[in-house]
């Protein structure tokens, strides 16, 4: 049995106070989430809508759920009533749908724009140029029921620390660029979500404000 509480305490002790932990609970049983909850953790991340739906229904109502997987537009309506943050927005189409469903639920949904920086071709996300284009084009400003709170990215899954650091600093510099150009008067645009189990210490050094950690807390996932 994994010592979820002990692992969680270790991770939290490792993180500066101003870096938020999103405990990534995908593929892990509800009992593990409840243990982390009992230890005080309130922010959890899931990547599949159906799995999230079940857990959301069965676990305490004050959990803040982050969606961290690839999100199809036809699934947005299911999570719109309760989701605290959608970290993986990678198109204007998806942003529009989130706005529409948020309106129906009479709420504003917080989102992050997901960047594609890693060299792996399988990763989702906006290239830096596509992200620039989306923001320059400006339609997002009229979407009053979504709030863009920052950027999210996954670094390449490699051993080479300098490669990881390079990618995260590229994301950090890009954050500064768009902050200055589009969000200089918007305090809500402040989140830099990078860092997972294997690279969160590097991420903290590369200006992350939000780390997404699964395996180090809950153990290996059983698919
Ligand atoms: C699964 C996942 C994580 C957590 O990965 P670990 O290596 O288990 O910490 C973080 N971010 C995203 C987007 C994920 O899909």
């Amino acid at each position: 049995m994994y010592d979820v509480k002990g692992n969680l305490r270790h991770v939290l002790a490792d993180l500066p106070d101003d870096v938020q932990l999103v405990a990534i609970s995908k593929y892990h049983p509800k009992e593990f989430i409840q243990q982390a909850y009992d230890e005080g953790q309130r922010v959890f991340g899931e990547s599949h809508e159906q799995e999230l739906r079940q857990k959301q229904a069965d676990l305490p109502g004050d959990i803040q759920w982050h969606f961290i997987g690839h999100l199809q537009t036809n699934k947005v309506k299911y999570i719109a009533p309760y989701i605290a943050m959608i970290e993986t927005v990678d198109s204007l189409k998806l942003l529009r749908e989130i706005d529409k469903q948020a309106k129906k639920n009479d709420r504003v949904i917080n989102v992050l724009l997901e960047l594609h920086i890693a060299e792996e071709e399988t990763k989702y996300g906006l290239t830096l140029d596509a992200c620039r284009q989306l923001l320059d084009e400006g339609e997002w400003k009229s979407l009053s029921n979504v709030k863009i709170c920052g950027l999210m990215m996954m670094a390449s899954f490699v051993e080479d620390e300098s490669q990881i650091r390079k990618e995260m600093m590229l994301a950090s510099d890009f954050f500064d660029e768009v902050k200055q150009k589009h969000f200089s008067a918007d305090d809500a645009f402040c989140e830099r979500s990078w860092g997972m189990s294997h690279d969160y210490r590097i991420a903290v050094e590369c200006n992350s404000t939000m780390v997404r950690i699964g395996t180090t807390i809950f153990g290996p996932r059983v698919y």
Side-chain angles (χ1 to χ4, degrees):
M1 191 60 172
Y2 239 75
D3 179 15
V4 170
K5 292 187 179 193
N7 295 338
L8 180 65
R9 279 197 297 271
H10 276 117
V11 168
L12 287 171
D14 244 12
L15 291 176
D17 289 340
D18 54 356
V19 175
Q20 190 178 39
L21 171 64
V22 183
I24 303 301
S25 49
K26 64 187 184 197
Y27 296 102
H28 291 296
K30 284 175 286 199
E31 293 70 27
F32 283 24
I33 301 175
Q34 185 66 50
Q35 285 174 35
Y37 180 92
D38 292 342
E39 193 61 29
Q41 181 67 22
R42 290 294 178 274
V43 185
F44 292 87
E46 289 279 338
S47 58
H48 293 95
E49 183 276 319
Q50 285 198 346
E51 182 181 352
L52 174 53
R53 194 192 313 191
Q54 196 63 52
K55 287 172 171 171
Q56 195 271 337
D58 294 348
L59 285 156
D62 64 341
I63 289 180
Q64 297 160 47
W65 296 102
H66 285 210
F67 196 86
I68 58 145
H70 182 63
L71 183 58
Q72 292 169 297
T73 47
N74 63 353
K75 297 286 174 66
V76 174
K77 58 179 175 287
Y78 300 117
I79 63 173
Y82 65 85
I83 201 78
M85 182 175 270
I86 298 173
E87 296 203 21
T88 41
V89 174
D90 62 356
S91 71
L92 182 58
K93 180 170 169 244
L94 182 56
L95 202 59
R96 286 186 191 128
E97 178 65 15
I98 295 168
D99 182 63
K100 181 176 151 192
Q101 298 300 334
K103 245 183 213 93
K104 281 190 185 165
N105 286 278
D106 195 23
R107 59 190 300 253
V108 174
I109 296 181
N110 292 330
V111 305
L112 303 179
L113 299 178
E114 180 180 6
L115 300 177
H116 176 120
I117 289 179
E119 280 168 0
E120 286 117 354
E121 282 182 14
T122 55
K123 298 259 159 72
Y124 293 105
L126 295 153
T127 63
L128 300 190
D129 274 339
C131 189
R132 280 189 190 101
Q133 201 185 339
L134 188 157
L135 290 169
D136 286 346
E137 190 268 335
E139 184 185 328
W140 60 274
K141 291 178 201 163
S142 67
L143 305 176
S144 50
N145 290 68
V146 286
K147 183 87 211 154
I148 301 177
C149 298
L151 304 175
M152 178 272 205
M153 63 84 82
M154 268 198 267
S156 295
F157 194 79
V158 292
E159 291 289 322
D160 180 6
E161 252 197 44
S162 68
Q163 173 74 21
I164 295 171
R165 204 174 288 275
K166 196 178 87 190
E167 293 176 2
M168 287 176 172
M169 284 314 297
L170 191 60
S172 178
D173 290 344
F174 185 72
F175 175 93
D176 293 342
E177 175 190 321
V178 299
K179 174 77 183 170
Q180 188 182 15
K181 188 161 186 200
H182 298 285
F183 299 96
S184 57
D186 182 356
D187 290 342
F189 187 88
C190 63
E191 301 295 356
R192 294 174 290 267
S193 176
W194 41 85
M196 304 164 52
S197 286
H198 66 285
D199 60 12
Y200 74 88
R201 289 184 184 86
I202 304 172
V204 167
E205 291 170 12
C206 296
N207 308 315
S208 171
T209 62
M210 195 179 264
V211 292
R212 309 178 307 266
I213 301 180
T215 309
T216 300
I217 299 169
F218 299 112
R221 287 178 283 276
V222 182
Y223 295 103

